[in-house]
């Protein structure tokens, strides 16, 4: 699969107020076959070269929380100052999953709600950090790739568990890593963010190199295993979901 360095196939636009217009999600596919066809159509648009911003000013975390019954979700985006890791902007949306639960097709459940939350931001983030996968996906087109392509923004995936691939355990100290390989291809990096703590699984989404993606994850994990982007977005979507469930 070839990338397109520096290409923005879906450029974002800036509103007069200073906020930005995230692209609207297309209508949800009517079947698994349609969803797979969409992934195959968009996959060649992914830029796997980057290199992406080495010193982003702002970094956004994206996460989704589901109600126990699976019929309600809350999607949150938090934008952090990359230097201080303080939250400078945030948005959240509550709705229903847009697609059935199908492994490898999670993006279709979450994309509409995440794009709606992105559209409510007043800050255009320099980098999207998704709680999920990018290239480390059966069809090499996980949520981070999908979001990156439709928004045009640099994006990476940081997951707690792998979806595909095999790896050797990285060294035990912070910063230790090993390659995540699937079918003979390097699809990500298994990265230790804390001494002696389980690693995370980093993969390129769009307009980023894997080396830069791993460096940004280390910059976002000064104290905990998961990036501060993920931690803040997780809290926000869980709080919003709890409030929505109380209101039902």
């Amino acid at each position: 699969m070839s990338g397109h360095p520096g290409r923005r196939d879906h450029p974002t636009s800036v509103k007069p107020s200073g906020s930005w217009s995230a692209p609207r999600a297309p209508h949800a596919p009517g079947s698994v076959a349609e969803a797979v066809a969409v992934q195959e159509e968009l996959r060649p648009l992914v830029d796997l070269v980057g290199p992406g911003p080495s010193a982003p000013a702002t970094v956004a975390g994206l996460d989704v929380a589901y109600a126990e019954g699976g019929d309600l979700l809350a999607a949150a985006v938090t934008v952090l100052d990359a230097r201080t890791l303080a939250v400078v902007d945030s948005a959240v949306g509550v709705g229903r999953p847009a697609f059935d639960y199908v492994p490898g097709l999670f993006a279709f459940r979450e994309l509409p709600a995440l794009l709606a939350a992105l559209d409510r931001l007043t800050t255009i983030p320099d980098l999207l950090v998704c709680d999920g996968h990018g290239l480390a996906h059966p069809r090499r087109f996980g949520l981070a790739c999908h979001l990156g392509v439709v928004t045009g923004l640099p994006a990476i995936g940081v997951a707690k568990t792998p979806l595909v691939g095999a790896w050797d355990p990285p060294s035990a100290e912070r910063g230790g890593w090993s390659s995540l390989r699937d079918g003979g291809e390097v699809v990500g990096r298994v990265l230790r963010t804390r001494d002696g703590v389980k690693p995370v699984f980093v993969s390129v989404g769009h307009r980023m190199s894997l080396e830069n993606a791993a460096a940004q994850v280390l910059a976002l994990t000064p104290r905990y295993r998961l990036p501060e982007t993920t931690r803040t977005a997780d809290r926000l979507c869980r709080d919003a979901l709890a409030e929505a469930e109380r209101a039902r």
Side-chain angles (χ1 to χ4, degrees):
M1 175 172 56
S2 61
H4 302 276
R7 177 175 173 178
R8 292 179 73 120
D9 298 277
H10 298 263
T12 57
S13 59
V14 180
K15 300 175 185 175
S17 64
S19 58
W20 70 298
S21 297
R24 292 186 178 180
H27 293 298
S31 67
V32 169
E34 284 184 26
V36 171
V38 170
Q39 289 182 331
E40 297 289 355
E41 178 185 357
L42 295 180
R43 182 176 60 179
L45 303 180
V46 176
D47 174 358
L48 300 175
V49 179
S54 59
T58 54
V59 184
L62 300 93
D63 199 8
V64 177
Y66 291 87
E68 190 170 338
D71 62 334
L72 190 69
L73 63 76
V77 182
T78 53
V79 182
L80 277 59
D81 180 304
R83 183 178 59 84
T84 66
L85 300 184
V87 176
V88 297
D89 196 5
S90 64
V92 65
V94 177
R96 298 190 178 278
F99 196 74
D100 291 338
Y101 174 89
V102 181
L105 298 176
F106 264 44
F108 295 98
R109 291 172 63 81
E110 304 179 350
L111 196 67
L114 286 171
L115 288 176
L118 280 166
D119 194 45
R120 297 187 183 106
L121 295 176
T122 58
T123 303
I124 303 175
D126 294 330
L127 174 64
L128 304 179
V129 180
C130 302
D131 179 36
H133 298 278
L135 187 64
H137 178 273
R139 283 175 292 281
R140 307 295 186 259
F141 197 75
L143 176 62
C145 295
H146 209 144
L147 271 167
V149 167
V150 300
T151 63
L153 296 174
I156 63 174
V158 185
K160 306 175 192 71
T161 56
L163 184 59
V164 296
W167 68 96
D168 295 323
S171 57
E173 71 276 3
R174 169 178 161 83
W177 63 272
S178 61
S179 292
L180 178 65
R181 296 179 178 273
D182 185 47
E185 179 183 1
V186 174
V187 296
R189 187 168 289 190
V190 185
L191 180 65
R192 193 89 62 183
T193 55
R194 306 300 304 159
D195 291 351
V197 173
K198 288 192 296 185
V200 297
F201 298 82
V202 180
S203 58
V204 171
H206 185 54
R207 298 180 61 208
M208 289 286 286
S209 69
L210 182 55
E211 187 71 28
N212 192 15
Q216 297 307 318
V217 172
L218 286 176
L220 292 167
T221 52
R223 293 185 297 169
Y224 301 100
R225 176 191 178 217
L226 296 179
E228 288 301 305
T229 41
T230 300
R231 288 166 46 79
T232 53
D234 176 75
R235 285 194 296 269
L236 181 58
C237 65
R238 288 180 185 276
D239 289 346
L241 182 64
E243 183 176 345
E245 288 187 296
R246 287 194 297 269
R248 285 209 285 185

